[in-house]
Amino acid sequence: MEAPRVYEIRVKGHLETNWADWFDGLEIIHEATGDTLLRGTLIDQPALFGNLARIQGLGLTLLSINSRDEPSGP
Amino acid sequence: MSILLESKFFQPRPRQESVVRPRLLEQLNLGLQRKLILVLAQAGFGKTTLVAHWLNTLAQADPILPTGTPPSGTSSSGAPPSGAPPSDALPASVKTAWLSLDENDNDPLRFFDYLITGLQRAEPAVGHQARSLLAAPQPPAGVEPLVVSLINDLTRLSNHLILILDDYHTITSQEVHQAIHTFISHAPGCFHLMIVSRVEPPLPLTRWRIQREVVEIRENDLRFTLDEAATYLLETMRCSISRAEVAALEQRTEGWIVGLHLAALSLQSHPDATTFVSDFTGSHAYLVDYLTEEVLQRQPSHIQEFLFQTALLTRFCGPLCDAAIGRTGSQKILEYLERSHLFVIPLDNERGWYRYHHLFAEMLRRRAQEHGLQQGGQCRAEIYRRAAQWHIEKELVMEAIEYALAAEESDFTAQLIESNLLPLLARGQFITLLQWLNRLPAIVLRANPRLCATRARIALRQHELDEAEKWLEATWSALAAQPDQNTDKDTSQNAEVMGEASAIRIDLALNRGQIAETIQLANRALEELPESLIHARGEILFFLGIAYYWNDQVAEAVNVTSQAAHLLTRAGDILTALFSWVNLCRFSQTQGKMREAMAALEEAWSFAVQHNVQHLPLMGSFHNNRGELLYEWNQLDAAEENFLRAIDLSEQARNPRTRLRSYSLLLPIYQARGQHDKAEESVQRALAHTRQYQLPANILDECRRTIIRKWLEDGNMAAVAAWIVNRGLSTEPVDAPVIRGLEAEYFLVARYLSAQNNLPAAQTLLEKTAASAHAAGKMTAYIAIQTYHVLLLQQLGDARAAHKLMAHVLEMAEPQAFVRTFVDEGKAMQSLLAALQPRLAPRLQSYVKTLLQAFGPLSPESVAPEKTAPVQPPRATPPIAATGEIAYVERLSERELEVLRLVDEGLSDSQIAAKLVLATGTVKRHLNNIYGKLGVHTRTHALARARTLKLL
């Protein structure tokens, strides 16, 4: 089984936080640099690509994507 | 003949021996209680197989009821289902509609064309209105009206309907996503949308999950478990490997089905299974490449060649393969491929159609290019050309054109497109057509007059006027360059194109506001074009009518527009014919022929009902015109209802022009009722529109006039004076020689002068203005001007002249039952009429009696009417007695009845709004109208009253 992973997607500019509903399960964080970090656990590849498609659909500039294993709970 | 890609509707057939996956089927069954079923995974996870299998179990277990609750008929609120219509309680059956999407479906209109057709094939009663919307000459600006109309149809279903959108990841258009969002939000409980995609669609899934509106099957659900992998490898694929090796493969592929599948195929002929299994590693792409190559290598060369060649075809059956690659026995090979699990997906039970698995097809095409197709003596273009030919023979036009384009056979493609233009245009497939035309080499396109004309027409629809001009010129050059015409047929075809080009030319001039040129061109064209070109002549007459009207030649406008209505009806152009009737109403109204105007509207209405287009957004101007007539006849509530309906419709069509007119026409109603807040709100909305949109000057002028009239009444003289200056009007009657065309404006200037106590100037101006309106045949304006003139004469102390003019005006107004023109002049007019009444001829006496009733008991000192009746329509001279139009005030509209029935079902305002796809505010408005008409103040009373009246 593929385990859900934590993704951090960085896009240029500040994205309004009311878009959170559309970025399924991702938190919208405004960074001091003026960019926006979308962070959260995505359960599979379609979920990741879905979020990327939304970024594209909104005409946002994608800066970077990082992922790591979800930290296992205590 | 089909002008749709038929194979997009083919539903894949489940394979006999596929692994049964009860855990997933159960999850899918839950979908019959949800609005949305999502199947999400990357390529190769067995999405299509699972869905095909599930649909098959539904068809066999039919009627299937999951667990208890029937689907609710209501809303997106997530509330427990209540008040579901009884017909929903026991679904007769589950019906399914399959649609495979591709990149071209990002054209929203094309997307909906297929979606509607798919739904109709499952449920023939659905989508007729949406279909007629699509075919409209002015296509809907957005797909929203289509969505609304489809949802309304779906609420009437008595069974479950599942619409499967396969390969939804090919959709990138935000407009399509938005439409799907609306669709899901408002669809009734018996409708289920299934989205099969590699990418999560941009929908508010989080919200819907909380509301339990969605069932999801995702990658991790689709992965084969160890048991499923064992069943698959050992039973389906008959591999002879150990249980431990199964476990190893399952682990290596992480349950990825295509990986297991390829492994099994390789294993079938692999000497050493253990080594193979332990070497088996790598990414998906690597595995596919590596294993497919292996699997291919093991196939005999004629099968390899068959695979490379047929991979060029999107979907195929035996006879198509035979024709395309010039061989026989393809059917046998396809059956062999299916038996050997070689990546063909069977589509559609009877017809023997297949497609390759996406991953495999991509890989084959790449390999085919590397290996070079010339191996078999077949070049790609030849295969495409033959495939096109085969589809022509089967009358599958869309596929034929796609293959012809792929073959780069331009002349052939151009011919093919040309001979199918009419059905394509009738379906509103403009974007598809445009894409095709753009793919043709310029030299081929420019040599074909009909295609050039089509290109010009498309440009005109998209308001690209210069582009339209360019292609119009190309049309004329292409016609001129035609070789000698050999047959009568050629000649008549050319004449037809010439007719079409003339109509486009005239439409273009009209769009540019070149009125004089439009009239000149149209009259010349009508002289030159043969009588046989009914449609072109009809269109030209239609445009000419508008030009005449704008040019103040109202009688001519009426004349040519009624000819246009008849010709266009004969030619089958329903919507332009309908517009002709609506325009005729406007023209007759201007001429003061109110009854004729209403008759034209009656004609338009029955015409619209007959063709089921009465709910289309383009009916907005119909309702504005009707409201305007009803207002003059003092049926204020009915008039208001029509304007509000026009606003609703124009919002659907995003048509600011109609909406602006509605707002300005509402204004006098609120003024008449003394609803000053609402009046002010209308003014603000209208002004906001004039700022927000670029609108034609004549529309803006009309709107400003109603506002100026209000300002005059409010005493806002500074604003009026500013308008006079900005509009370039003169306050010196002798200096105003160009009254023609500006009668309505100078009428307002005269009122302004009179308010400034410059009575002689006002009077001179009124005389000139009245004469000008009379000369132009604008009798409605003439009557209004003279009515006011009477008051002015009275003020000037010339009672004799005033009375004489009053009698003259009444004489003219009586046959058409004008009311508001008099009533809107207020108390002075009321007193004058009351004083004058006894001295009039008997016929006019009864007319004036009606008028006085309409004034109502304004003040104690004004002469009291006999009865203090509420505002009544002029009963003495019922406008259109035969049609029952007079009963309109009391009658509830269809929409209001609909709302009332839902109230009766116990739904709240917001539930009704969701069900009818309206704003909650709109529902409240409807309710208020219902209360007003029924004379009640609460829901309970409304229901009781409706029962007494047998409305429920």
Side-chain angles (χ1 to χ4, degrees):
Chain A
M1 275 284 159
E2 186 187 301
R5 294 178 70 82
V6 176
Y7 285 89
E8 290 185 339
I9 304 170
R10 188 164 278 111
V11 294
K12 204 167 175 173
H14 272 178
L15 178 69
E16 289 298 320
T17 44
N18 55 18
W19 283 100
D21 232 19
W22 287 89
F23 289 100
D24 194 21
L26 294 177
E27 195 186 347
I28 295 181
I29 303 160
H30 288 172
E31 297 191 305
T33 54
D35 297 329
T36 302
L37 192 66
L38 301 164
R39 181 167 60 198
T41 307
L42 296 178
I43 58 171
D44 54 19
Q45 292 292 300
L48 172 63
F49 282 108
N51 280 305
L52 294 180
R54 262 156 267 183
I55 288 171
Q56 188 186 26
L58 288 173
L60 302 172
T61 308
L62 182 62
L63 297 176
S64 67
I65 308 176
N66 289 308
S67 85
R68 55 187 155 84
D69 287 335
E70 194 176 34
S72 36
Chain B
M1 188 191 72
S2 173
I3 54 161
L4 290 169
L5 290 161
E6 284 298 320
S7 49
K8 285 166 72 76
F9 302 113
F10 289 176
Q11 182 174 321
R13 156 163 64 92
R15 306 171 65 104
Q16 301 275 305
E17 68 290 12
S18 59
V19 178
V20 181
R21 316 183 76 183
R23 63 187 171 99
L24 298 181
L25 296 179
E26 266 168 40
Q27 225 176 319
L28 285 172
N29 279 342
L30 268 183
L32 289 179
Q33 294 166 307
R34 307 283 164 89
K35 291 177 166 197
L36 176 63
I37 308 170
L38 281 177
V39 181
L40 298 180
Q42 296 174 80
F45 275 94
K47 299 185 291 292
T48 307
T49 311
L50 175 70
V51 174
H53 197 99
W54 180 56
L55 296 179
N56 198 41
T57 62
L58 285 185
Q60 287 177 358
D62 182 32
I64 184 161
L65 266 181
T67 39
T69 28
S72 85
T74 43
S75 83
S76 59
S77 64
S82 65
S87 55
D88 274 9
L90 269 179
S93 62
V94 180
K95 293 188 178 169
T96 57
W98 183 284
L99 183 57
S100 297
L101 301 172
D102 56 65
E103 284 74 11
N104 293 326
D105 293 310
N106 282 302
D107 165 8
L109 292 182
R110 173 180 142 129
F111 177 90
F112 270 90
D113 193 6
Y114 278 98
L115 189 140
I116 293 163
T117 308
L119 288 175
Q120 280 185 329
R121 289 184 183 188
E123 277 290 348
V126 165
H128 293 288
Q129 192 203 336
R131 164 71 58 220
S132 57
L133 244 174
L134 262 185
Q138 267 99 5
V143 290
E144 220 174 289
L146 300 174
V147 177
V148 171
S149 157
L150 282 175
I151 290 169
N152 284 337
D153 290 353
L154 290 174
T155 50
R156 296 193 199 102
L157 287 186
S158 56
N159 48 267
H160 285 275
L161 176 61
I162 308 172
L163 170 66
I164 301 103
L165 298 179
D166 194 13
D167 289 335
Y168 191 81
H169 54 264
T170 52
I171 301 300
T172 51
S173 150
Q174 289 305 315
E175 203 181 345
V176 172
H177 290 317
Q178 185 54 45
I180 289 293
H181 182 180
T182 315
F183 208 70
I184 299 172
S185 302
H186 297 286
C190 57
F191 177 80
H192 316 280
L193 184 74
M194 182 175 219
I195 289 182
V196 182
S197 172
R198 292 185 196 174
V199 172
E200 202 173 82
L203 297 169
L205 297 178
T206 316
R207 196 189 323 149
W208 289 345
R209 274 182 207 124
I210 294 167
Q211 293 169 349
R212 295 178 167 275
E213 298 285 19
V214 53
V215 162
E216 290 171 87
I217 307 273
R218 306 194 63 120
E219 232 166 71
N220 281 340
D221 306 310
L222 284 162
R223 293 173 195 282
F224 269 166
T225 61
L226 183 56
D227 282 346
E228 285 170 337
T231 314
Y232 184 65
L233 291 170
L234 303 177
E235 292 173 23
T236 309
M237 301 300 287
R238 295 174 205 284
C239 298
S240 42
I241 53 172
S242 70
R243 201 67 202 184
E245 285 164 337
V246 169
L249 277 179
E250 194 268 338
Q251 214 182 357
R252 297 259 157 78
T253 55
E254 296 179 316
W256 182 48
I257 296 171
V258 160
L260 283 167
H261 182 105
L262 281 164
L265 286 173
S266 306
L267 268 172
Q268 280 167 349
S269 52
H270 222 280
D272 182 357
T274 319
T275 322
F276 176 83
V277 171
S278 60
D279 285 349
F280 190 93
T281 178
S283 70
H284 287 180
Y286 169 77
L287 279 180
V288 171
D289 262 19
Y290 172 71
L291 293 173
T292 313
E293 190 61 35
E294 261 214 24
V295 173
L296 273 179
Q297 291 303 326
R298 295 226 176 75
Q299 298 303 320
S301 64
H302 74 281
I303 298 286
Q304 284 188 34
E305 196 184 320
F306 180 87
L307 289 169
F308 286 142
Q309 292 174 336
T310 51
L312 295 176
L313 308 172
T314 323
R315 295 180 185 83
F316 43 84
C317 59
L320 169 59
C321 294
D322 280 348
I325 61 183
R327 55 166 298 149
T328 55
S330 296
Q331 186 61 41
K332 286 240 151 36
I333 298 185
L334 290 172
E335 284 164 16
Y336 161 79
L337 293 175
E338 190 185 350
R339 249 191 344 269
S340 325
H341 306 280
L342 279 169
F343 303 103
V344 287
I345 295 178
L347 303 166
D348 185 76
N349 278 326
E350 295 87 31
R351 279 168 281 191
W353 281 80
Y354 296 88
R355 69 170 169 84
Y356 287 116
H357 191 285
H358 292 312
L359 282 174
F360 192 59
E362 280 157 30
M363 189 272 174
L364 276 178
R365 276 174 218 146
R366 220 167 49 232
R367 284 292 142 91
Q369 227 158 12
E370 285 163 20
H371 289 220
L373 259 183
Q374 59 278 22
Q375 274 180 344
Q378 296 277 347
C379 73
R380 297 156 67 94
E382 180 68 6
I383 292 178
Y384 285 133
R385 201 190 57 74
R386 290 188 190 181
Q389 198 59 49
W390 186 87
H391 282 100
I392 294 172
E393 282 156 24
K394 301 291 169 212
E395 298 193 326
L396 295 165
V397 177
M398 301 295 273
E399 283 91 343
I401 293 174
E402 291 289 346
Y403 282 121
L405 279 165
E408 295 178 1
E409 297 253 357
S410 318
D411 289 323
F412 175 57
T413 315
Q415 262 176 31
L416 206 51
I417 297 174
E418 190 185 344
S419 51
N420 290 288
L421 270 180
L422 286 182
L424 284 165
L425 289 171
R427 270 192 111 89
Q429 301 234 356
F430 292 91
I431 308 278
T432 306
L433 258 174
L434 187 60
Q435 282 170 351
W436 285 342
L437 295 180
N438 287 344
R439 278 165 71 185
L440 287 175
I443 190 163
V444 175
L445 183 52
R446 287 177 172 279
N448 187 317
R450 191 181 291 259
L451 292 184
C452 288
T454 305
R455 188 66 190 75
R457 198 177 272 271
I458 295 173
L460 198 52
R461 287 172 67 105
Q462 298 178 331
H463 275 275
E464 294 165 353
L465 302 187
D466 293 337
E467 189 75 3
E469 180 97 59
K470 189 182 111 190
W471 285 105
L472 198 58
E473 266 154 33
T475 311
W476 296 121
S477 332
L479 277 171
Q482 290 275 296
D484 288 340
Q485 280 140 26
N486 300 322
T487 62
D488 289 351
K489 200 174 156 221
D490 286 349
T491 319
S492 84
Q493 273 177 357
N494 273 352
E496 222 171 277
V497 179
M498 257 181 246
E500 196 182 348
S502 305
I504 295 170
R505 174 83 197 84
I506 290 155
D507 193 2
L508 187 61
L510 193 59
N511 263 288
R512 291 211 157 115
Q514 301 163 335
I515 303 301
E517 194 177 350
T518 304
I519 294 173
Q520 195 189 358
L521 282 169
N523 279 316
R524 200 191 312 147
L526 290 169
E527 268 171 40
E528 288 169 3
L529 292 176
E531 295 287 336
S532 58
L533 297 177
I534 314 174
H535 186 249
R537 295 183 69 92
E539 269 191 315
I540 292 169
L541 286 162
F542 174 77
F543 299 135
L544 182 57
I546 298 172
Y548 273 145
Y549 182 69
W550 284 355
N551 203 41
D552 267 337
Q553 295 171 270
V554 190
E556 288 89 340
V558 169
N559 178 19
V560 296
T561 308
S562 34
Q563 290 178 47
H566 292 294
L567 282 184
L568 290 164
T569 311
R570 261 174 69 201
D573 185 344
I574 303 311
L575 291 156
T576 318
L578 180 63
F579 270 120
S580 308
W581 290 114
V582 174
N583 282 354
L584 266 179
C585 159
R586 193 85 201 281
F587 303 164
S588 301
Q589 197 258 4
T590 304
Q591 288 181 304
K593 297 175 181 167
M594 311 300 269
R595 292 171 194 282
E596 271 177 40
M598 189 50 100
L601 279 189
E602 295 293 334
E603 192 82 32
W605 183 252
S606 53
F607 196 76
V609 171
Q610 189 190 337
H611 294 96
N612 195 26
V613 292
Q614 72 272 32
H615 302 301
L616 295 193
L618 50 87
M619 289 294 280
S621 48
F622 168 90
H623 286 283
N624 272 342
N625 288 354
R626 181 148 80 176
E628 212 178 353
L629 290 174
L630 291 169
Y631 176 81
E632 183 56 48
W633 287 335
N634 202 24
Q635 303 181 37
L636 300 188
D637 292 352
E640 184 190 18
E641 186 186 306
N642 273 282
F643 297 141
L644 294 176
R645 178 79 183 131
I647 291 172
D648 265 359
L649 289 169
S650 66
E651 273 166 6
Q652 285 179 32
R654 298 178 204 166
N655 179 347
R657 212 189 274 211
T658 305
R659 197 155 59 234
L660 179 62
R661 246 194 109 212
S662 310
Y663 285 132
S664 38
L665 290 168
L666 274 169
L667 182 53
I669 296 185
Y670 297 138
Q671 292 279 96
R673 289 197 191 131
Q675 296 168 304
H676 299 294
D677 291 353
K678 282 192 160 186
E680 193 51 41
E681 190 191 324
S682 294
V683 171
Q684 293 312 326
R685 290 199 174 186
L687 287 175
H689 266 71
T690 59
R691 285 191 291 263
Q692 195 179 343
Y693 301 98
Q694 288 231 311
L695 295 165
N698 54 339
I699 306 271
L700 291 176
D701 281 342
E702 188 187 8
C703 164
R704 290 198 186 107
R705 288 196 299 263
T706 45
I707 296 176
I708 297 300
R709 175 85 191 257
K710 176 178 186 298
W711 286 348
L712 280 165
E713 278 171 33
D714 296 350
N716 189 355
M717 291 305 153
V720 178
W723 167 75
I724 292 174
V725 174
N726 289 336
R727 186 68 184 78
L729 301 169
S730 162
T731 45
E732 294 297 324
V734 274
D735 290 350
V738 200
I739 288 179
R740 187 174 158 78
L742 293 170
E743 292 88 353
E745 275 74 14
Y746 276 108
F747 183 19
L748 291 168
V749 173
R751 284 180 189 273
Y752 170 78
L753 289 171
S754 146
Q756 304 288 59
N757 262 327
N758 193 349
L759 300 188
Q763 205 242 340
T764 315
L765 188 54
L766 276 181
E767 271 172 1
K768 286 191 165 202
T769 312
S772 175
H774 194 275
K778 298 180 187 174
M779 298 319 281
T780 296
Y782 174 77
I783 290 171
I785 295 163
Q786 295 293 43
T787 303
Y788 181 70
H789 196 181
V790 169
L791 293 179
L792 199 71
L793 289 170
Q794 184 96 341
Q795 253 180 296
L796 283 164
D798 193 345
R800 244 183 82 93
H803 291 182
K804 202 175 150 210
L805 185 56
M806 186 81 258
H808 165 70
V809 170
L810 288 171
E811 197 68 58
M812 292 188 71
E814 189 269 342
Q816 303 294 334
F818 281 83
V819 179
R820 284 309 312 183
T821 297
F822 299 95
V823 176
D824 287 344
E825 295 300 345
K827 227 163 61 181
M829 179 55 63
Q830 190 177 10
S831 314
L832 178 64
L833 283 172
L836 208 58
Q837 190 188 14
R839 284 190 257 160
L840 294 166
R843 183 168 56 95
L844 293 184
Q845 274 192 24
S846 87
Y847 176 44
V848 170
K849 192 172 140 196
T850 320
L851 290 179
L852 288 172
Q853 278 175 1
F855 276 100
L858 263 180
S859 55
E861 71 266 25
S862 69
V863 181
E866 287 175 3
K867 206 170 59 173
T868 55
V871 168
Q872 285 285 322
R875 297 253 181 228
T877 50
I880 307 285
T883 59
E885 199 54 44
I886 206 83
Y888 198 89
V889 184
E890 292 85 13
R891 210 170 61 205
L892 293 189
S893 72
E894 270 309 306
R895 199 53 155 180
E896 289 167 354
L897 277 173
E898 234 173 314
V899 170
L900 196 61
R901 279 184 213 117
L902 294 174
V903 169
D904 195 25
E905 284 178 36
L907 301 193
S908 71
D909 289 8
S910 58
Q911 283 170 325
I912 296 172
K915 184 135 190 170
L916 298 179
V917 202
L918 294 171
T920 313
T922 313
V923 172
K924 288 195 200 301
R925 213 168 59 210
H926 283 308
L927 275 173
N928 278 330
N929 287 345
I930 295 171
Y931 293 172
K933 288 184 182 179
L934 299 178
V936 297
H937 301 287
T938 66
R939 291 181 169 237
T940 330
H941 285 147
L943 292 177
R945 180 103 184 93
R947 289 225 167 74
T948 328
L949 294 170
K950 302 213 183 317
L951 294 173
L952 282 173

